[in-house]
Amino acid sequence: MDLSVTDNPERFRYEALTPTGEVAGFVQYQKRPDRIIFIHTEVSPEFSGQGVGSALATAALDDVRRQGLAVVPQCPYIRAFIERHPAYADLVAADA
């Protein structure tokens, strides 16, 4: 699926957008000076099973790494994604 993932800081979430601009899914967060807390991931039912969640998690975690922030994976999806992709484990805050 052709998606672009962008940070929407006004809504405190990363959004996966289709080529027509439709929101296929999002990862909601709370940002602190040194970390980002991922609290919820949601994929629209019509896009379920098409890799939207993985695209969101990958893009969001790559952006967090670029910003030099730690991650608190309160969201079960993000937590499981990090467990399945250990290359992101170093982002998890020590006190998370």
Side-chain angles (χ1 to χ4, degrees), residues 12-86:
F12 305 101
R13 66 189 200 176
Y14 287 89
E15 297 175 337
L17 304 172
T18 67
T20 62
E22 183 177 1
V23 177
F26 62 88
V27 177
Q28 195 149 17
Y29 63 79
Q30 295 174 346
K31 207 166 192 180
R32 303 289 184 261
D34 64 337
R35 65 188 56 206
I36 189 165
I37 304 162
F38 288 112
I39 55 176
H40 179 68
T41 301
E42 188 171 314
V43 174
S44 297
E46 62 269 26
F47 298 104
S48 181
Q50 298 180 45
V52 175
S54 291
L56 278 165
T58 299
L61 291 167
D62 286 346
D63 190 51
V64 168
R65 185 182 302 284
R66 184 189 59 75
Q67 294 179 59
L69 299 173
V71 170
V72 178
Q74 288 183 353
C75 167
Y77 183 84
I78 297 294
R79 188 176 326 115
F81 185 88
I82 292 170
E83 288 172 5
R84 288 191 316 270
H85 299 88

